[in-house]
Amino acid sequence: MQHTICNTVSEIDIGLHTGQRIRICLQPADIGCGVLFQRTDLSNASPIPALYNHVIDTKLSTVLGEKGRLENRISTIEHLMAALYGCGIDNILILIDGPEIPIFDGSSSFFVSLLEHTGRKQQNAPRKIIKVLEPVCIKQGDFFVKLLPNPHSGLSLSLSINFAARAVGQQTYHIDLTSDTFKKELSFNRTFTFLEDIETLRQMGLAQGGSLENAIVIDDNRILNSHGLRTPDEFVRHKMLDVLGDLYLAGSPLEACFYGHCSGHTLNNQLLQKLFSCSTAWQKICTTDKHPPS
Ligand SMILES: [Zn+2]
């Protein structure tokens, strides 16, 4: 069945790129609403559905926007979207009073805590699933992302990354997604950045809210965060968290196998664009809920 949250919850934290203090408020939403974002600091801003075809930028984060009204944009949605996917939330209204989802610790942990705090409420309508029927692939040099039909139910993901920095190097990860594996294996992995890139980002007016409290900072073979990593392969797990958040812009959970090498928000979005441009590659089905009520 479809699910929303039990009650309204809100919290304040800074935006990674703007450095602004931003309030995020999660509210229950009706059957069939999906995930909807609404800016409260702009007059007459239209709500923006969390769908792949409302993405307006993918360079540093996934950004949703209202076409024709550039200031109505919401960036860095991916860690929240991953939490909504992992926690099995179908319908929710997200109000924010700034242009960016607050970063908290750079992972999905805080959003999972908020969702668990308010609780998950079952609604009287079956859940819709997008079943991938044919392979779909996007390549860019050696980098690729693809979706294949899953002989089993649900979503499984396999990802590899390869960075020159010795603290990262080559990492691979695989997960069969459930609410349990999401919480125990993916949700807590933080975003990361390289020391040499920080000054450039700051000069561009970006990463103004970035700190060791909300990102792993890498200097070749060194991790600058005093407590180190949460898991030795935290980098590839975070990239997979980003994939999951981006894939939830399909509008429904997927029944598919995802494979990727050095994926990013741009490739992830192009993958959904390509999937939905081919009507024989997917099918929307109703299914029974795979997440036990919490
Ligand atoms: Zn991320």
Side-chain angles (χ1 to χ4, degrees), residues 60 76 78-79 106 189-192 238-239 241-242 265:
L60 290 171
T76 324
E78 56 271 15
H79 307 154
N189 298 282
R190 294 162 295 169
T191 192
F192 56 93
H238 182 80
K239 286 289 182 186
L241 190 74
D242 284 342
H265 302 302

